[in-house]
Structures are given as C-alpha cells and as structure tokens.
C-alpha cells in the first residue's frame, strides 16, 4: 500500500529506529562534508565545546532523512519537499548512541492550485537512549493524493 | 589569522567555489542517506517531478557545509551552531553543475550572557552557473571574540 496525502492526520505518526551510531560513520561523514576537528579527532573534540567526539549537525540531518525514508517515505507517494522550516541541534550525538526518530504530523493541507497533491508538515525529533531530544526539525513534505477511482 | 566574532559585519561577506558536481557523488550520498529513486536512477528521475537525476536536498546542505568550511570556517573561532532558521530547496542540482556559494551577514549579536562569544547570522545561497538560486539557507553560527590583549 502506498501512503498518500489522504492517509496522514494531525497527531502522533510513529517512532522509527533505533539506529546505532558508530565512530566510523561519524568520521566518514565529517571527512567528506564537515571536517571540523571536533567531528574528526578525539583530542580536538575534548578541547571543544562538544567535550568529546560528536557528529556534525548536518550528519544528524542526513541520518534523519535516512530514517524518514526507511520509516515511511519509501512506501509513500512523496513528491519532495520545498525546504525545512526549522532545524535545532540541541545536543551532541556520539559513537555508541542509539537514536530513535519520533514523527508527529503538525498540519495537513490540500493544495488549492494542484488538486492532485497536498502538503503534510512533520515535526521530527531525534531521541537518544535516555529519551533526550538531540535534534528537532519541522519539515513540510508534498504527497500525491488518492484518485477518486482508488477511493471507491 | 583567525576570524573572530569581531571580524564580521552586516553585508556581503564572500563567494566561494565553484564546486563541480559529479553523478558519482550524487549517487554515493543518495545511497547512504536518501535512496529515493529520483536521486539514484536516471529513468526513475525522468518520471519524477525532478525531470532527470538530481541530488538530495540534504546532499545540498552537506555541500553548503563543506563550502562554508573551506571558504572561511576552517580559519575561524567557530563554536558551532544552534540550528538552521530556514532552508529552502528552490531548484534541482544535477551532475555537471558548477555551484558557487554566496554568503551574506544578516546580523551580528554579542552574547549578553557569555561575553567571550557572539552570534553571526548568515544567509547562504547556492547559485548554479546561470546564477540561478538553487538553495537558500539562514543559519546562525557562534564565534569566539578577540580578547582585549589581542585587540591591542
């Protein structure tokens, strides 16, 4: 079954994961996209405000994307997203963390100009094993709608 | 010379790049973090709203981060960022694109509670070779301040 706009309603949608974070993947992402010493090197990280090796905030975003994809986007009529309304990095994430993605639907809005689609605004929070919120994102995603034929 | 909070002022800051985008890097990122068919497969991408293979929006964010790092963050007293105020994905980016990052300073604000730091809010726009805006991000970054001794 493909999830369409019509399958989403405001409220809690689901929890996905957990995903185990490794030192290797933190360093691999950092080397490619965010080679600040605090994301690459244990000693430099200890001396930084992160107080130890921690992943890039943009790595966190990439991990959220992957967990959204694996969680439900892969079986949806997604038509992409115009952007991110807000993204907060609240805590460091580190090697050994077990991260769970919590997804709530804040709003659903049918498109006036394009009746074949609607926009669902999600709030996605990443939690660590202590249920602390590591990051908090609000993102609208466009989805196709069920056709009248399919609704019958 | 290390760039500190005191070195930033509102207005145009710089342009960085260009960076040449390859098909391989688009697919490598997508495979790891955003394996939607439109980011992985030419035929699927042609049938999608992207009308041809294009990179993930989160790949774009990662590329912006790398160009910010290479452009100026590597030689700054950066203390990280609390998050992103807004991120707009305005156009697809594709294999063969030459992307340039334009950086403006929207605001500088000394911290009241922590006199050793200040927050600089940047607007970062990624432009393609036709000077079209591909993405548009507003992001605050915290920087250390010059000490009184260093100011002398």
């Amino acid at each position: 079954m493909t999830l369409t706009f019509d399958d989403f309603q405001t409220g809690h949608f689901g929890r996905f994961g957990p995903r185990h974070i490794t030192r290797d993947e933190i360093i691999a992402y950092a080397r490619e996209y965010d080679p600040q010493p605090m994301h690459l090197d244990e000693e430099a990280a200890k001396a930084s405000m992160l107080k130890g090796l921690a992943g890039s905030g943009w790595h966190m975003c990439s991990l959220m994307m992957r967990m959204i994809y694996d969680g439900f986007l892969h079986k949806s009529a997604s038509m992409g997203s115009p952007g991110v309304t807000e993204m907060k990095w609240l805590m460091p994430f580190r090697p050994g963390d077990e991260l769970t993605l919590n997804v709530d639907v804040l709003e659903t809005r049918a498109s006036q100009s394009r009746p074949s689609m609607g926009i669902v605004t999600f709030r996605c929070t990443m939690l660590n094993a202590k249920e602390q919120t590591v990051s908090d994102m609000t993102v609208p995603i466009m989805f196709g709608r069920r056709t009248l034929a399919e609704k019958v």
Side-chain angles (χ1 to χ4, degrees), chain A residues 58-70:
Chain A
W58 295 109
H59 188 194
M60 171 53 60
C61 292
S62 298
L63 292 168
M64 290 180 107
M65 176 65 228
R66 181 63 196 246
M67 289 171 76
I68 290 170
Y69 177 82
D70 289 342

Side-chain angles (χ1 to χ4, degrees), chain A residues 26 34 38-39 50 52-60 92-95:
Chain A
I26 282 179
D34 188 358
M38 60 194 176
H39 302 315
L50 293 178
L53 192 72
S56 165
W58 295 109
H59 188 194
M60 171 53 60
F93 73 103
R94 304 187 188 280

Side-chain angles (χ1 to χ4, degrees), chain A residues 73-108:
Chain A
L73 209 70
H74 73 278
K75 59 179 179 182
S76 79
S78 168
M79 299 170 70
S81 167
V84 175
T85 318
E86 189 165 36
M87 175 79 215
K88 292 183 204 158
W89 296 308
L90 299 169
M91 285 185 57
F93 73 103
R94 304 187 188 280
D97 274 358
E98 302 280 335
L99 299 179
T100 300
L101 185 72
N102 186 74
V103 179
D104 292 305
V105 172
L106 297 182
E107 187 188 47
T108 64

Side-chain angles (χ1 to χ4, degrees), chain A residues 18-143:
Chain A
R19 174 163 175 156
H20 179 80
I21 303 299
T22 68
R23 185 174 182 280
D24 284 355
E25 68 184 317
I26 282 179
I27 290 174
Y29 180 93
R31 201 167 275 155
E32 191 74 24
Y33 298 113
D34 188 358
Q36 297 183 76
M38 60 194 176
H39 302 315
L40 277 175
D41 176 75
E42 190 61 58
E43 290 310 309
K46 274 184 194 162
S48 79
M49 61 282 177
L50 293 178
K51 312 287 183 201
L53 192 72
S56 165
W58 295 109
H59 188 194
M60 171 53 60
C61 292
S62 298
L63 292 168
M64 290 180 107
M65 176 65 228
R66 181 63 196 246
M67 289 171 76
I68 290 170
Y69 177 82
D70 289 342
F72 63 99
L73 209 70
H74 73 278
K75 59 179 179 182
S76 79
S78 168
M79 299 170 70
S81 167
V84 175
T85 318
E86 189 165 36
M87 175 79 215
K88 292 183 204 158
W89 296 308
L90 299 169
M91 285 185 57
F93 73 103
R94 304 187 188 280
D97 274 358
E98 302 280 335
L99 299 179
T100 300
L101 185 72
N102 186 74
V103 179
D104 292 305
V105 172
L106 297 182
E107 187 188 47
T108 64
R109 189 162 54 81
S111 172
Q112 299 299 315
S113 55
R114 297 175 63 186
S116 62
M117 58 161 273
I119 298 172
V120 180
T121 301
F122 294 95
R123 182 173 178 193
C124 301
T125 50
M126 194 75 99
L127 308 170
N128 64 20
K130 293 175 183 168
E131 294 281 316
Q132 294 166 316
T133 304
V134 177
S135 64
D136 185 345
M137 172 172 77
T138 304
V139 60
I141 302 180
M142 301 174 288
F143 293 92

